[in-house]
Amino acid sequence: MTHVKFNHSPLPRLVEDIFNSGWNKYVKDDFLTSDFFTTHPPVNIVETKDAFLLDVVAPGFVKEDFKISADDKAITISAERKAEAKTEGDKQVRREFNFKSFKRSFSITETVDVNRIQAKYENGILKVTLSKKENKQDAPKEIVVE
């Protein structure tokens, strides 16, 4: 008689499903390839006393390629670079880079003054300044105890 051992634990099957299913494809195809980083440029966000500072790494663009829109809830930054026209007779020997369009949106708080947002593009970095609203505090009011 042969002794057969059964593994009733669902954990090994669950782990196998995670790595062999669409999740693995999603991670491998989007995050681990350079495609993810070229379509979603890295962004640094710093909060100062007076503003939020967004730095978007986007080398190879010109300032006319960017479009920035904002409302009370979000700011959207996008860029699109038109393909370079080929000169007749030129032969492409090697092409290792291209510029892809991107679009990123960020939620903003009610402290941001949408009318005072500024942007500047220099050295491959788009610098967006989201100024905060000025806090106008009322003068302390004296309360008389009766």
Side-chain angles (χ1 to χ4, degrees), residues 29-128:
D29 291 347
D30 288 339
F31 291 110
L32 301 180
T33 64
S34 61
D35 240 12
F36 177 78
F37 295 105
T38 57
T39 57
H40 298 87
V43 174
N44 290 337
I45 302 174
V46 176
E47 181 179 6
T48 66
K49 185 179 89 168
D50 301 322
F52 291 96
L53 309 173
L54 273 74
D55 290 343
V56 181
V57 177
F61 290 93
V62 294
K63 66 181 181 178
E64 292 80 14
D65 294 335
F66 294 99
K67 181 180 177 188
I68 301 172
S69 61
D71 59 25
D72 291 337
K73 296 182 181 184
I75 182 169
T76 301
I77 302 169
S78 61
E80 183 175 358
R81 179 156 182 192
K82 306 296 183 205
E84 296 175 6
K86 281 189 171 183
T87 307
E88 195 63 37
D90 286 348
K91 179 182 174 186
Q92 183 76 44
V93 176
R94 185 178 189 113
R95 183 168 188 89
E96 291 186 347
F97 64 90
N98 58 17
F99 301 99
K100 295 185 178 183
S101 61
F102 69 86
K103 183 175 185 178
R104 298 217 41 196
S105 294
F106 302 93
S107 297
I108 56 177
T109 66
E110 65 277 352
T111 61
V112 172
D113 187 349
V114 178
N115 297 318
R116 293 181 28 209
I117 295 175
Q118 298 176 340
K120 184 176 185 178
Y121 181 69
E122 60 184 5
N123 299 326
I125 299 177
L126 177 66
K127 297 176 179 278
V128 181

